[in-house]
Amino acid sequence: MCGIVGYFGYRDAKSIIVKGLKRLEYRGYDSAGIALYDGSDIKIIKTKGKVSDLEDKIAAKKNANGSLGIGHTRWATHGVPNDINSHPHRSNSGDLVIIHNGIIENYAAIKKELVNRGYSFQSDTDTEVLVNLIEAVQKSGNYKLGEAVQIALNQVVGAYAIAIIDLKKPNEIIVARLGSPLAIGIGKDEYFIASDASPFIEYTNNAVYLEDEEMAVIRLHKEPEFRNIKNGDLFDPYVQELQLNIEEIEKGGFNHFMLKEIFEQPKAIQDTYRGRLKVNKGLVKMSGIDDNIEKLSNAQKITIVGCGTSWHAGLVAEYIFEEIARIPVEVEYASEFRYRNPIISDKDIVIAISQSGETADTLAAIKLAKKNGAFVFGVCNVVGSSISRETDAGAYTHAGPEIGVASTKAFTTQITLLTMMALRLAKAKRTLSASDYKRHLIELETIPGKIKTVLESDALTKKIAGIYKDATNFLYLGRGFNFPVALEGALKLKEISYIHAEGYPAAEMKHGPIALIDENMPIVVIATKYGHYKKIVSNIQEIKSRKGKIIGIVTKGDTQVKALADHVIEIPETLELLSPLLTTIPLQLLSYHIAVLLGKNVDQPRNLAKSVTVE
Ligand code: F6R
């Protein structure tokens, strides 16, 4: 949460930073701010609201210029979103200016000590405490800024990605990281700083991703100096060549990133299995799995950890692994797992799922699993993210940047990757017959084309959205592989339209939620033609006799549900195990259209952030 951007070079820092903040707005958007060194002073402009509000404020101040600057877009943790709590924050002397993503957990104790030493504070933030701690250290021993930052960071507990500039030494930016991401873009005679590479992708494709407990002193016309925060040791960083391109982070003619990302799913899934799914040869090839196949095949159980949509993908995977690889699977909320005393040993495999690769709870769950001796496999989308580095092995989903806060293509690509993993394991364990195995490979390859067909129901889904947009509650029902899809459908609606929605296994309805059903209740039922079909039809009859409104997701050619439901959206036939990849699509579209019709901010829903780097 929170996006940080910095620039030091020869161009207009303000326009680079503002454009960068817009690209990082998915990380937080309750306030924004910028600090620019104009040759004699550091000017700070900040505001509650969006980056566009900041732009208006900057435009009103005509003299905000400079080629050294830092900027921030905020998702509040300490202190309500208002102008004062917005970043950047200045130290008491006025010299040091900081931006920060993360949480300083022991800020209250540090603040008390600083107050005793005469420091005063304008804001309620932990960040203002941190910048003053750095200043206090700097003054206590006449330290250089880099040294003071290092000493101060050794006194704080928590997480941070920071960038700090000093009015007295406007020839450097100091950056540091622990637990929150920070990338340094290295250009010719210029440097960029950002929470991810998207703000600088058109200027350079060389970047250093700081690891935890690393810092850098960046000066113009000099090699940056990289140090370990704990012991001060210098090191040479790994300069990564970025693959990202500018088209991937723009809306490409769609009104919202979310819609673009929904429509990108056929390609995203192809990108997930490209080079890995070799139908002709009857192979699934993934080096992270192939290299560890013995360990995976001999595991006594798999525990999947994740949060939100990634947790839902884990639930789908539970059904898939158990069905075809015959291995017991448990799926845990990372936030619960990390604070329990889970029974995990070196005979277990833990799979951590995360789009961003930065989710604090998932990272902590991985650390706990590793401490208990488990082998941890990561399924991430963001290349080079913290989780991908923390895990023992892993595979990227290669879905491309997901910018809409509500996860869409991340979910379906995670399921695709986990399906391939289960198939690879099934082959190694011989738990699927050769013909069934081949059938799954062939069918998986057809999924992108079938998603394209489902996307043709966009106009129909929009019409249905128009009918139910004013409902105050929704119920989502599914069974088996599609029970987690019901949970995911409900989450999508809640997140972006703020309508209360619940997902349930269809048969559980009569153990409680049935009491909610009346003529005002829309119920989305995933009623595809598989083993549970007859039972789902009975569930639909139970709903109809209580006057509930049914939106059925059915297999093409269905007649029974069609006769009972108020609306149906068809999906092409596929294997039951792969059906979540299709049934999810209309639910994503339904929530998207309802939110748009209600005038909600689809890509940046209130209170949410894309990357949850705090617990
Ligand atoms: C839902 C959503 C969140 C994330 C969750 C985990 O649309 O986006 O529920 O799925 O915060 O995030 P990652 O996958 O980045 O760990």
Side-chain angles (χ1 to χ4, degrees):
M1 1 264 288
C2 299
I4 66 176
V5 187
Y7 178 77
F8 193 12
Y10 55 88
R11 304 177 205 251
D12 173 36
K14 172 186 62 202
S15 50
I16 290 173
I17 292 170
V18 168
K19 189 163 54 150
L21 289 178
K22 283 191 174 158
R23 291 194 188 148
L24 291 182
E25 220 170 5
Y26 72 87
R27 300 181 63 85
Y29 34 81
D30 58 43
S31 34
I34 189 168
L36 292 164
Y37 175 67
D38 66 3
S40 59
D41 194 9
I42 297 175
K43 294 238 160 59
I44 296 181
I45 305 166
K46 52 187 189 172
T47 184
K48 175 177 184 246
K50 306 257 181 218
V51 178
S52 55
D53 298 311
L54 176 66
E55 260 182 316
D56 294 344
K57 243 179 164 169
I58 294 174
K61 293 204 173 159
K62 298 220 162 27
N63 57 351
N65 292 311
S67 52
L68 164 64
I70 52 180
H72 189 267
T73 174
R74 180 169 186 245
W75 187 89
T77 55
H78 290 78
V80 293
N82 62 25
D83 289 3
I84 293 174
N85 287 334
S86 309
H87 298 214
H89 288 283
R90 213 188 264 275
S91 64
N92 273 204
S93 71
D95 290 343
L96 304 187
V97 176
I98 194 171
I99 49 172
H100 167 217
N101 168 26
I103 288 190
I104 305 302
E105 288 170 12
N106 59 340
Y107 85 105
I110 298 172
K111 187 171 183 176
K112 204 164 154 201
E113 206 180 309
L114 288 171
V115 168
N116 289 341
R117 286 159 71 177
Y119 279 83
S120 62
F121 295 88
Q122 317 289 317
S123 75
D124 306 317
T125 65
D126 50 346
T127 306
E128 195 188 4
V129 174
L130 179 58
V131 72
N132 281 302
L133 174 65
I134 294 168
E135 179 160 292
V137 170
Q138 198 183 24
K139 291 200 163 141
S140 70
N142 233 342
Y143 291 109
K144 288 184 184 160
L145 180 58
E147 292 167 334
V149 169
Q150 188 202 337
I151 295 168
L153 291 179
N154 275 301
Q155 296 175 24
V156 305
V157 177
Y160 52 77
I162 57 166
I164 177 162
I165 53 178
D166 184 352
L167 179 61
K168 292 230 173 75
K169 277 198 88 186
N171 62 342
E172 61 184 25
I173 303 186
I174 315 283
V175 295
R177 162 197 167 134
L178 176 66
S180 300
L182 199 145
I184 303 167
I186 301 174
K188 189 168 166 358
D189 299 330
E190 59 183 345
Y191 291 98
F192 305 82
I193 291 149
S195 302
D196 69 38
S198 60
F200 55 77
I201 194 62
E202 64 264 54
Y203 303 104
T204 177
N205 54 8
N206 292 324
V208 171
Y209 287 88
L210 285 191
E211 300 277 350
D212 279 349
E213 293 181 341
E214 290 180 356
M215 60 180 286
V217 178
I218 297 168
R219 297 191 191 103
L220 271 196
H221 313 300
K222 266 191 166 182
E223 288 290 301
E225 189 184 280
F226 291 87
R227 277 188 189 279
N228 180 286
I229 295 170
K230 275 260 140 57
N231 54 29
D233 287 353
L234 287 167
F235 66 93
D236 286 329
Y238 169 63
V239 181
Q240 197 165 316
E241 198 170 324
L242 302 169
Q243 305 295 339
L244 203 65
N245 65 52
I246 192 80
E247 292 77 42
E248 285 183 316
I249 54 171
E250 290 183 338
K251 282 190 202 145
F254 287 91
N255 285 339
H256 297 95
F257 280 111
M258 182 180 176
L259 191 62
K260 176 186 173 230
E261 287 155 9
I262 291 173
F263 273 81
E264 265 174 3
Q265 287 175 106
K267 178 176 178 299
I269 288 177
Q270 268 167 348
D271 289 344
T272 304
Y273 68 54
R274 177 165 298 120
R276 291 165 163 169
L277 183 67
K278 299 185 186 289
V279 178
N280 292 341
K281 293 186 179 156
L283 288 177
V284 172
K285 279 203 79 55
M286 290 156 83
S287 59
I289 297 173
D290 296 336
D291 297 349
N292 298 289
I293 194 67
E294 211 171 312
K295 210 171 274 158
L296 289 163
S297 318
N298 293 330
Q300 60 184 18
K301 85 168 187 293
I302 294 178
T303 301
I304 299 180
V305 293
C307 303
T309 291
S310 293
W311 182 75
H312 294 157
L315 287 179
V316 177
E318 176 181 20
Y319 282 86
I320 297 175
F321 273 102
E322 293 200 345
E323 176 75 18
I324 61 175
R326 305 305 296 150
I327 179 165
V329 179
E330 279 176 18
V331 188
E332 300 246 14
Y333 284 115
S335 54
E336 288 296 313
F337 179 88
R338 65 178 289 191
Y339 287 118
R340 291 200 298 111
N341 188 5
I343 302 171
I344 294 281
S345 74
D346 56 3
K347 294 191 181 59
D348 289 331
I349 302 293
V350 169
I351 302 178
I353 309 176
S354 175
Q355 187 285 130
S356 62
E358 301 295 344
T359 302
D361 284 322
T362 310
L363 253 175
I366 292 168
K367 287 181 181 152
L368 177 64
K370 280 171 81 174
K371 206 170 108 199
N372 282 271
F375 178 80
V376 184
F377 191 91
V379 174
C380 292
N381 187 36
V382 177
V383 175
S385 53
S386 304
I387 290 177
S388 64
R389 292 196 302 248
E390 188 67 36
T391 42
D392 296 307
Y396 288 114
T397 48
H398 296 308
E402 190 182 66
I403 292 168
V405 163
S407 230
T408 51
K409 62 177 179 172
F411 181 63
T412 46
T413 54
Q414 286 164 348
I415 295 173
T416 303
L417 194 125
L418 291 157
T419 304
M420 287 195 292
M421 196 172 167
L423 283 165
R424 177 70 185 89
L425 212 54
K427 184 165 192 189
K429 294 179 72 184
R430 298 177 197 280
T431 45
L432 262 189
S433 70
S435 60
D436 274 350
Y437 171 76
K438 189 81 194 262
R439 207 154 52 92
H440 280 83
L441 299 195
I442 293 170
E443 191 56 27
L444 184 55
E445 205 179 33
T446 69
I447 290 295
K450 290 183 177 171
I451 292 181
K452 280 188 190 154
T453 310
V454 184
L455 288 168
E456 285 166 15
S457 64
D458 185 41
L460 168 64
T461 313
K462 188 172 175 185
K463 212 162 125 200
I464 299 172
I467 300 170
Y468 296 106
K469 69 176 182 5
D470 297 316
T472 47
N473 290 293
F474 268 72
L475 208 54
Y476 286 73
L477 303 177
R479 295 183 83 126
F481 295 91
N482 282 299
F483 153 55
V485 175
L487 297 180
E488 174 62 8
L491 177 64
K492 287 290 86 90
L493 189 70
K494 278 186 271 210
E495 282 181 293
I496 59 170
S497 69
Y498 320 142
I499 295 174
H500 174 251
E502 282 196 58
Y504 256 91
E508 273 295 303
M509 185 186 63
K510 48 187 163 308
H511 299 286
I514 199 162
L516 295 167
I517 296 174
D518 61 16
E519 67 279 13
N520 299 315
M521 173 70 104
I523 299 140
V524 180
V525 187
I526 305 161
T528 37
K529 259 205 162 106
Y530 304 112
H532 303 300
Y533 182 69
K534 280 204 183 108
K535 296 193 190 304
I536 282 265
V537 172
S538 308
N539 296 143
I540 290 176
Q541 271 155 343
E542 287 158 8
I543 297 167
K544 270 331 284 179
S545 56
R546 283 153 187 94
K547 300 197 171 61
K549 300 283 184 285
I550 305 274
I551 304 162
I553 312 299
V554 300
T555 310
K556 191 168 173 51
D558 178 284
T559 51
Q560 278 192 63
V561 175
K562 219 175 225 170
L564 293 167
D566 297 86
H567 316 270
V568 291
I569 301 170
E570 292 185 331
I571 63 150
E573 233 170 285
T574 186
L575 295 175
E576 181 173 14
L577 183 143
L578 298 175
S579 64
L581 293 169
L582 305 184
T583 53
T584 303
I585 311 295
L587 309 196
Q588 295 170 343
L589 287 170
L590 184 66
S591 57
Y592 170 79
H593 287 302
I594 290 178
V596 171
L597 290 167
L598 291 174
K600 305 296 184 211
N601 187 338
V602 174
D603 283 334
Q604 294 167 356
R606 71 183 180 203
N607 304 338
L608 294 176
K610 185 79 187 153
S611 179
V612 185
T613 54
V614 294
E615 60 171 295

